[in-house]
Amino acid sequence: MESTVTARPVIGRAYYPALVAASTSMWAIILGPVLSTIPNQVNEIAPGNKVFGLALVTGIAGIVGIVTNPLIGHLSDITRTRFGRRIPWLVAGLAVILPVSIIIGHSKSIAELALWWTLLQVGANMLMAPTSATIPDVVPERRRGMASACLGIAAAAAPVLGTGIQTLVSSPSLVYMILGGLICLAQLCFIATLRNDHTLPQAHPRTRRRIRWEHLIPRSKDFWLVCAHRILFGLGQNMALAYLFYYLQDVIHYAAQHPGQTTDDGVLLLTAIYAPCVIVAAIFAGSLTDRTGRFTWCLVTATLVFAVGAVLGAVTASWIGVIVLAVLTGLGYGAYASTSMAMAVHLLPDGERRARDLSLINVADLSAIALGPILAAAGISLSGYSAVFIASGILVIVSGVIVTAIKGAH
């Protein structure tokens, strides 16, 4: 159950595109470099031990990110300044990201790269929880579906932005600096839309006590069901899409079917199909949720559409089938992304600890991003790609079943 901390500030229309830009640039620096920039750096630093080096760099940063996210969310909730609760943390995140994005490209050892990449993830986490917390802070309830759709659009655009920059720029130093510069510009625009947000936590004795474990963990069955729903859907999504490159290469034989093109061209084309489907579905589902105030039927439909698309990967071995897979998974994910986040915001258990609770939603998403490719790799080695796509569909359907058990979602 949510409570109002102070009077809700006036929010303009510029907030929504600014939220898309801020979230897209933030996720681009979280997800983008791990695709090629960091692997290339690790290969140059330790070519004889690149697999272990890459696992060390990304593993340490991932663990630190999962641990720090709810802590930063809690600290943001209890922050008291004349600029409100979120803006100081957004500025602090930029203060960490900008210098690190200049330094990290010049790393000379695995330890040094791990240190800077971990700090970069900490800086991104300083942006993540406060950014998502602005939705319940400043957006009227009847518009939160559309605000959540902005996050869905960002999720689709971020990988395109990250990989696009890495394709155009060969130097790791330039990749990080460009991404850092884009984050700075986007966040400054976003902060400008929050200039009327001076919300403060309610004066309460517990906010002055030392941080305790119960301050970091909400007590709400519906909230934890939302977390379970999101991690299962995230696992299914990442399992289905993580090894799409190798699926095109090993099963579809894209390059052989399309002379003069490479598998990279096939992945780029699928991305160009998938991303618009995500955006259209996110906007449609977000506006529909705002009008109806209901989440269950939309999420169940989204999970079924995505699951059908994922299972297509198990039963088809044609390029046309993969295109249909991209369309269905894109539509399913877009509807899920906007509706699920709107539901999470609607079911926040504590109006004073919004960033803490949403940071736990972020942890569920980050955990799925980390574990999905690992589970997919294990499935491919044991039973091939078909088993992975079927498992993806089952996980997503189970996530939809969980939604039906969430009382506040009906």
Side-chain angles (χ1 to χ4, degrees), residues 41-110:
Q41 286 181 278
V42 171
N43 192 41
E44 289 183 7
I45 294 171
N49 205 15
K50 60 183 181 182
V51 174
F52 173 77
L54 181 60
L56 184 67
V57 171
T58 57
I60 292 174
I63 292 171
V64 171
I66 289 173
V67 171
T68 58
N69 208 295
L71 177 61
I72 290 170
H74 170 76
L75 294 175
S76 173
D77 285 330
I78 63 174
T79 295
R80 299 182 64 88
T81 75
R82 65 189 184 92
F83 301 105
R85 298 190 287 176
R86 315 306 178 193
I87 291 177
W89 285 94
L90 297 177
V91 173
L94 293 181
V96 173
I97 288 174
L98 286 179
V100 174
S101 65
I102 295 172
I103 298 170
I104 188 173
H106 304 284
S107 301
K108 302 298 182 184
S109 68
I110 294 296

Side-chain angles (χ1 to χ4, degrees), residues 28 31-40 158-172 174-176 178-179:
L31 301 176
V34 299
L35 298 176
S36 64
T37 302
I38 289 180
N40 284 333
V160 178
L161 176 63
T163 54
I165 291 174
Q166 291 172 100
T167 301
L168 295 174
V169 180
S170 58
S171 167
L174 284 177
V175 170
Y176 290 115
I178 291 172
L179 288 172

Side-chain angles (χ1 to χ4, degrees), residues 19 39 41 106 111 145 220 251 292 303-304 378 385 396:
L19 177 62
Q41 286 181 278
H106 304 284
S220 167
V251 178
T292 63
T303 57
L304 290 174
Y385 291 95
V396 169

Side-chain angles (χ1 to χ4, degrees), residues 145-146 148-149 278-295 297-299 302 331-340 342:
M146 188 55 63
S148 299
V278 172
I279 292 170
V280 169
I283 294 173
F284 177 77
S287 61
L288 203 59
T289 300
D290 283 336
R291 290 199 301 270
T292 63
R294 302 191 175 203
F295 309 101
W297 69 270
C298 189
L299 283 172
L331 292 173
Y333 177 73
Y336 153 82
S338 60
T339 309
S340 180

Side-chain angles (χ1 to χ4, degrees), residues 3-367:
S3 63
T4 303
V5 177
T6 62
R8 190 177 302 283
V10 177
I11 196 70
R13 292 183 178 179
Y15 170 84
Y16 300 98
L19 177 62
V20 172
S23 299
T24 300
S25 59
M26 177 189 69
W27 280 107
I29 207 167
I30 291 174
L31 301 176
V34 299
L35 298 176
S36 64
T37 302
I38 289 180
N40 284 333
Q41 286 181 278
V42 171
N43 192 41
E44 289 183 7
I45 294 171
N49 205 15
K50 60 183 181 182
V51 174
F52 173 77
L54 181 60
L56 184 67
V57 171
T58 57
I60 292 174
I63 292 171
V64 171
I66 289 173
V67 171
T68 58
N69 208 295
L71 177 61
I72 290 170
H74 170 76
L75 294 175
S76 173
D77 285 330
I78 63 174
T79 295
R80 299 182 64 88
T81 75
R82 65 189 184 92
F83 301 105
R85 298 190 287 176
R86 315 306 178 193
I87 291 177
W89 285 94
L90 297 177
V91 173
L94 293 181
V96 173
I97 288 174
L98 286 179
V100 174
S101 65
I102 295 172
I103 298 170
I104 188 173
H106 304 284
S107 301
K108 302 298 182 184
S109 68
I110 294 296
E112 188 178 353
L113 180 60
L115 171 64
W116 297 128
W117 180 241
T118 298
L119 287 176
L120 201 61
Q121 299 307 294
V122 171
N125 280 325
M126 294 170 75
L127 303 178
M128 189 183 299
T131 296
S132 55
T134 63
I135 294 178
D137 279 353
V138 304
V139 179
E141 189 164 358
R142 68 183 184 278
R143 297 291 295 167
R144 289 178 184 175
M146 188 55 63
S148 299
C150 292
L151 300 183
I153 293 170
V160 178
L161 176 63
T163 54
I165 291 174
Q166 291 172 100
T167 301
L168 295 174
V169 180
S170 58
S171 167
S173 298
L174 284 177
V175 170
Y176 290 115
M177 286 192 286
I178 291 172
L179 288 172
L182 289 175
I183 283 181
C184 182
L185 290 174
Q187 286 291 337
L188 289 176
C189 292
F190 182 61
I191 290 170
T193 68
L194 301 174
R195 61 186 181 276
N196 294 322
D197 179 20
H198 302 295
T199 56
L200 297 172
Q202 292 180 355
H204 195 284
R206 68 179 180 179
T207 64
R208 293 191 290 269
R209 297 174 184 172
R210 64 179 182 176
I211 297 174
R212 295 180 178 177
W213 182 253
E214 60 267 25
H215 293 170
L216 302 177
I217 303 297
R219 298 178 180 179
S220 167
K221 180 182 176 181
D222 274 0
F223 178 82
W224 289 113
L225 286 173
V226 171
C227 289
H229 149 72
R230 289 186 68 87
I231 196 169
L232 286 175
F233 192 104
L235 283 173
Q237 183 214 13
N238 283 281
M239 287 180 68
L241 304 180
Y243 289 88
L244 195 58
F245 177 92
Y246 295 135
Y247 181 72
L248 292 183
Q249 186 180 70
D250 301 337
V251 178
I252 305 301
H253 305 292
Y254 179 86
Q257 291 187 28
H258 301 81
Q261 297 188 39
T262 66
T263 306
D264 284 323
D265 295 324
V267 173
L268 185 61
L269 180 56
L270 287 179
T271 303
I273 295 170
Y274 176 83
C277 291
V278 172
I279 292 170
V280 169
I283 294 173
F284 177 77
S287 61
L288 203 59
T289 300
D290 283 336
R291 290 199 301 270
T292 63
R294 302 191 175 203
F295 309 101
T296 303
W297 69 270
C298 189
L299 283 172
V300 170
T301 303
T303 57
L304 290 174
V305 171
F306 188 99
V308 170
V311 172
L312 267 180
V315 300
T316 183
S318 68
W319 173 239
I320 298 298
V322 177
I323 291 177
V324 177
L325 179 154
V327 171
L328 292 178
T329 56
L331 292 173
Y333 177 73
Y336 153 82
S338 60
T339 309
S340 180
M341 180 56 74
M343 177 179 68
V345 170
H346 177 71
L347 296 175
L348 289 177
D350 189 341
E352 294 183 49
R353 302 186 184 278
R354 293 163 175 164
R356 177 205 66 179
D357 297 336
L358 287 172
S359 70
L360 293 172
I361 296 292
N362 293 331
V363 167
D365 296 341
L366 292 171
S367 299

